[in-house]
């Protein structure tokens, strides 16, 4: 009995010490719609790694929705520790409200976007309309499905991809790009509000001959809806979609989660994180991982936002703001 | 003051006012306050834009038309449910409430599946040259769907309380059937019918979830006003979105006042008829 008491005390002490050391950390990652599968895998891998290195368990909660809506929720008080959105403009909006340092895009490698995607075409099996490149989309009788750039971040990438293609043709200039894009949107029978809606319109409702989509969405749609139904066409020139990530400084500091949050976004750049991105159909930044998945991502010429349009703020003001180019093109309908 | 059933006028009135203030007036005030950010000039520019006008026109006319259709069809269905006894009547009656219970997005997707060119109904309509999904007609269909129960449910109790002997009296005085309906029954129903119409109208003007999937959303053609608001929010233009919201609110308010005036007028008409 005499021996038992110190033993119990020691045990209690050990339990107490362990419970102090092993903290349970919760992160909230506010993301956009098509990253559900990606971050489910990332979160598991990151939690396992963090547990092994620090002994703490990390639970990453997710919030998915349209990219712009998600940014707005964070501005309005959704306590995100990390944002992983579809375009830099949406994170800029959060930064404008003082929640993230304005320099966020330089804090991580590769414009703070650990994985990329390309804008490609999803066509019906066998490609009955013979669509090979952007020029084929404006042939008579071809119907194109793409969401509305005014309500969908993904659709803004589509718009800029088309514009950039026209600009990069021999003798291409602003006027020709404008004419091409105007013609392209005349071939659009339905402007869905978001990317998933457009995929449904094309795949389930049988509308249109070609869907302009992110490569990861196209691959996912092909996997889920059947390889026997759709083909993917990668155009000669396309835009490199760079979905960015950032730690929400104000919230991470308030929650005391900065260290974990920073490790979380950096994890995306590790070989393991890159591997998971590639498995979920995002193009990895790491050349080694990319080489292993070369069969999945056909080579194509890509251009970036910064190469042709400056940055997202400039692109937004020039093309998508009220009364800007997209509105001017639509007015002629 | 006479003794009341509820405790004290002061208490219950105060509670009602506070509740209404918190649930209805405060959010509306916040909306109006946000809208002031845009300024008078901005507001005029926003509301006179061709896209805004086209969207408002579609939303308002679509809603009025949908409410009219609902008034006619709702009267018919209410009549059938009240006046006739047939097997499955209760089930039929329960079905009327379905649009109330269904999440509007689900309704929108279901309607689109039905009316898409490869849908169950769409594939038969398409060869006839009738396009429903992704056109203004689709907007109308969705608006009829969400507004439908209002007319039936407001009319039912009044239909049930209509005295049969009035009709019999009209008949015995030599009235033909249509005369009985238009000169005896309809005047008695008119105020209630207008209430149902107003409710269906109010619902359809602001409807977003179900309309958005079937509308096509092409600017100037099949874009509803609530979509413009969502687009503004998507671009972080809070003031513009709020201003458009206030504009829609005012327009619906005007329409509802108009309906209320009609109601009063028809009430007096009904009294005089009796």
């Amino acid at each position: 009995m005499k021996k038992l008491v110190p033993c119990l005390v020691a045990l209690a002490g050990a339990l107490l010490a362990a419970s102090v050391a092993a903290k349970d950390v919760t992160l909230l990652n506010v993301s956009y719609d098509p990253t559900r599968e990606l971050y489910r895998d990332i979160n598991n891998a990151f939690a396992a790694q963090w547990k092994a290195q620090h002994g703490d368990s990390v639970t990453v909660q997710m919030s998915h929705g349209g990219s712009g809506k998600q940014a707005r929720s964070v501005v309005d008080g959704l306590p995100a520790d990390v944002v992983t959105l579809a375009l830099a403009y949406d994170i800029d909006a959060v930064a404008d409200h003082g929640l993230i340092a304005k320099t966020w895009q330089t804090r991580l490698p590769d414009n703070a976007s650990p994985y990329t995607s390309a804008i490609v075409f999803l066509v019906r099996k066998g490609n009955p309309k013979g669509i090979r490149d952007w020029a084929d989309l404006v042939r008579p009788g071809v119907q194109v499905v793409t969401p509305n750039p005014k309500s969908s971040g993904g659709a803004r990438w589509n718009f800029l991809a088309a514009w950039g293609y026209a600009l990069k043709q021999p003798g291409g200039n602003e006027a020709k790009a404008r004419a091409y894009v105007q013609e392209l949107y005349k071939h659009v029978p339905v402007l869905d509000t978001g990317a998933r809606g457009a995929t449904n319109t094309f795949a389930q409702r049988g509308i249109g001959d070609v869907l302009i989509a992110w490569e990861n969405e196209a691959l996912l749609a092909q996997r889920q809806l059947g390889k026997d139904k759709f083909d993917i066409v990668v155009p000669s020139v396309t835009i490199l979609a760079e979905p960015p990530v950032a730690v929400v400084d104000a919230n991470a500091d308030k929650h005391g989660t900065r260290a974990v949050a920073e490790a979380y976004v950096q994890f995306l750049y590790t070989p393991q994180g890159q591997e998971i991105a590639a498995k979920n159909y995002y193009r990895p930044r790491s050349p080694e991982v990319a080489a292993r998945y070369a069969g999945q991502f056909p080579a194509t010429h890509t251009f970036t936002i910064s190469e042709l349009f400056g940055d997202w703020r400039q692109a937004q003001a020039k093309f998508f703001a009220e009364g800007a180019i997209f509105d001017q093109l639509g007015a002629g309908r | 003051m006479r003794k009341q059933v509820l405790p004290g006028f002061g208490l219950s009135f105060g509670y009602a006012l506070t509740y209404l203030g918190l649930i209805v007036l405060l959010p509306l005030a916040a909306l109006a306050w946000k809208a002031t950010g845009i300024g008078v000039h901005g507001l005029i520019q926003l509301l006179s834009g061709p896209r805004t006008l086209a969207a408002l026109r579609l939303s308002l006319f679509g809603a009025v038309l949908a409410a009219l259709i609902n008034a006619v069809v709702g009267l018919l269905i209410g009549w059938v449910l009240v006046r006739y006894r047939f097997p499955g009547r209760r089930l039929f009656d329960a079905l009327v409430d379905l649009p109330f219970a269904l999440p509007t997005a689900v309704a929108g997707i279901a309607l689109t599946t039905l009316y898409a060119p490869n849908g169950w109904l769409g594939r038969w309509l398409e060869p006839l040259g009738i396009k429903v999904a992704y056109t203004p007609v689709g907007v109308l269909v969705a608006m009829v769907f969400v507004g439908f129960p209002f007319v039936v449910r407001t009319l039912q109790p009044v239909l049930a309380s209509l005295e049969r002997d009035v009709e019999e009296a009209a008949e015995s005085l030599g009235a033909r059937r249509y005369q009985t309906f238009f000169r005896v029954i309809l005047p008695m129903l008119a105020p209630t019918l207008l209430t149902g119409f107003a409710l269906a109208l109010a619902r359809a003007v602001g409807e977003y979830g179900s309309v958005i999937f079937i509308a096509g959303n092409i600017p100037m053609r099949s874009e509803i006003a609530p979509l413009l608001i969502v687009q503004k929010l998507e671009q972080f233009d809070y003031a513009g979105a709020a201003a458009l919201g206030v504009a829609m609110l005012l327009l619906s308010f005007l329409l509802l006042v108009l309906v209320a005036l009609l109601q009063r007028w028809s009430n007096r008409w009904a009294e005089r008829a009796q």
Side-chain angles (χ1 to χ4, degrees):
Chain A
M1 198 65 188
K2 263 185 189 168
K3 270 186 187 165
L4 196 62
V5 174
C7 272
L8 277 176
V9 169
L11 190 66
L15 278 174
L16 200 69
S19 68
V20 167
K23 288 178 297 180
D24 286 339
V25 189
T26 306
L27 284 186
L28 176 60
N29 175 2
V30 172
S31 194
Y32 62 109
D33 263 326
T35 59
R36 276 169 224 274
E37 297 82 6
L38 167 68
Y39 278 106
R40 195 180 50 220
D41 296 350
I42 290 278
N43 295 345
N44 288 338
F46 175 72
Q49 194 206 55
W50 187 263
K51 180 107 191 164
Q53 286 175 354
H54 300 84
D56 301 345
S57 23
V58 179
T59 315
V60 185
Q61 292 176 335
M62 298 298 305
S63 164
H64 294 279
S67 186
K69 184 200 136 282
Q70 294 295 82
R72 207 165 53 244
S73 303
V74 175
V75 167
D76 287 343
L78 186 67
D81 303 281
V82 173
V83 281
T84 52
L85 296 176
L87 35 87
Y89 180 71
D90 289 331
I91 299 189
D92 281 339
V94 182
D96 284 346
H97 287 80
L99 297 170
I100 302 176
K102 298 243 180 189
T103 55
W104 65 271
Q105 210 162 7
T106 59
R107 294 192 301 196
L108 289 162
D110 301 319
N111 285 329
S113 65
Y115 42 81
T116 64
S117 195
I119 302 302
V120 302
F121 306 147
L122 195 67
V123 297
R124 308 209 178 273
K125 189 72 198 174
N127 197 357
K129 294 265 169 120
I131 287 155
R132 299 270 163 255
D133 209 347
W134 290 98
D136 298 321
L137 303 191
V138 294
R139 283 201 323 243
V142 173
Q143 284 198 321
V144 182
V145 176
T146 175
N148 190 338
K150 301 284 272 189
S151 61
S152 157
R156 278 174 232 168
W157 287 107
N158 296 357
F159 180 102
L160 295 178
W163 188 277
Y165 155 78
L167 214 52
K168 282 189 163 271
Q169 292 315 292
N173 56 33
E174 289 271 311
K176 283 185 180 164
R178 199 185 178 102
Y180 171 76
V181 173
Q182 179 154 39
E183 185 60 31
L184 177 66
Y185 278 88
K186 281 189 188 147
H187 287 252
V188 178
V190 183
L191 275 176
D192 280 285
T193 51
R196 275 282 154 95
T199 307
N200 277 338
T201 299
F202 178 76
Q204 317 277 9
R205 316 262 178 263
I207 303 271
D209 304 299
V210 50
L211 172 77
I212 308 180
W214 288 45
E215 186 175 45
N216 60 295
E217 272 283 89
L219 284 164
L220 195 68
Q222 204 184 31
R223 187 184 66 177
Q224 288 183 342
L225 305 166
K227 275 206 184 240
D228 51 332
K229 283 193 182 147
F230 305 103
D231 287 338
I232 293 174
V233 174
V234 180
S236 64
V237 181
T238 191
I239 200 165
L240 190 71
E242 300 179 293
V245 303
V247 171
V248 183
D249 297 295
N251 292 344
D253 287 341
K254 195 162 70 187
H255 305 155
T257 51
R258 175 174 284 279
V260 192
E262 277 176 357
Y264 180 72
V265 294
Q266 276 152 11
F267 178 76
L268 297 165
Y269 291 89
T270 62
Q272 201 187 352
Q274 292 285 292
E275 184 89 31
I276 294 172
K279 274 197 186 116
N280 283 285
Y281 308 119
Y282 284 91
R283 291 187 178 220
R285 290 283 194 183
S286 145
E288 295 83 47
V289 179
R292 275 206 295 282
Y293 285 85
Q296 187 172 304
F297 305 114
T300 175
H301 293 287
T302 55
F303 55 88
T304 60
I305 289 282
S306 54
E307 194 181 317
L308 285 189
F309 307 106
D311 60 22
W312 259 109
R313 279 178 207 271
Q314 289 167 348
Q316 177 74 22
K318 179 173 174 183
F319 294 103
F320 310 118
E322 209 58 38
I325 289 178
F326 181 74
D327 281 354
Q328 294 161 18
L329 297 181
R333 275 172 197 283
Chain B
M1 200 186 270
R2 250 173 4 103
K3 232 182 164 190
Q4 301 286 329
V5 180
L6 279 177
F9 169 75
L11 187 64
S12 42
F13 181 73
Y15 179 76
L17 201 65
T18 313
Y19 191 81
L20 203 67
L22 279 177
I23 300 293
V24 179
L25 291 180
L26 202 63
L28 290 185
L31 186 71
W33 182 76
K34 276 257 183 196
T36 56
I38 190 174
V40 177
H41 180 69
L43 186 69
I44 291 171
Q45 216 168 25
L46 171 69
L47 292 183
S48 60
R51 249 180 99 191
T52 318
L53 287 179
L56 283 174
R57 202 178 309 134
L58 178 62
S59 273
L60 285 177
F61 284 137
V64 169
L65 202 57
L68 279 174
I69 293 173
N70 275 328
V72 175
V73 180
L75 175 58
L76 184 75
I77 290 179
W79 185 268
V80 168
L81 283 173
V82 169
R83 283 296 171 92
Y84 302 104
R85 292 290 171 273
F86 51 91
R89 190 180 67 93
R90 276 169 183 256
L91 183 73
F92 194 68
D93 191 61
L95 281 179
V96 171
D97 281 333
L98 219 56
F100 275 153
L102 208 62
T104 51
V106 176
I109 290 171
L111 288 173
T112 313
T113 310
L114 223 53
Y115 286 104
N118 64 357
W120 289 352
L121 289 173
R123 77 178 60 169
W124 303 107
L125 295 174
E126 187 84 357
L128 304 174
I130 304 170
K131 285 190 176 162
V132 179
Y134 313 120
T135 67
V137 182
V139 176
L140 186 68
V141 168
M143 285 175 166
V144 168
F145 180 85
V146 294
F148 167 68
F150 287 98
V151 178
V152 182
R153 288 296 180 240
T154 41
L155 271 179
Q156 257 176 336
V158 184
L159 279 170
S161 70
L162 278 188
E163 301 289 346
R164 259 307 211 337
D165 51 5
V166 185
E167 288 162 47
E168 281 157 13
E171 223 167 297
S172 70
L173 289 172
R176 291 168 191 280
R177 278 185 181 184
Y178 73 90
Q179 283 175 319
T180 312
F181 179 76
F182 282 104
R183 309 191 66 161
V184 179
I185 300 173
L186 202 58
M188 288 195 283
L189 288 179
T192 324
L193 199 58
L194 276 168
T195 307
F197 174 82
L199 289 172
L201 176 75
R203 176 69 200 270
V205 170
E207 178 58 21
Y208 178 77
S210 60
V211 175
I212 209 69
F213 291 98
I214 202 171
N217 307 324
I218 302 288
M220 309 294 295
R221 205 164 61 210
S222 51
E223 200 173 46
I224 54 167
L227 176 63
L228 283 188
I229 298 182
V230 172
Q231 287 178 10
K232 294 214 177 303
L233 288 174
E234 207 65 26
Q235 296 166 78
F236 307 102
D237 179 7
Y238 290 70
L244 208 52
V246 170
M248 281 188 70
L249 214 58
L250 287 178
L251 279 172
S252 339
F253 189 68
L254 275 179
L255 271 174
L256 289 181
V257 166
L258 204 72
V259 172
L261 286 177
L262 268 173
Q263 233 168 332
R264 263 181 53 188
W265 172 74
S266 74
N267 256 334
R268 252 178 285 153
W269 188 46
E271 272 164 31
R272 225 177 304 152
Q274 283 174 356

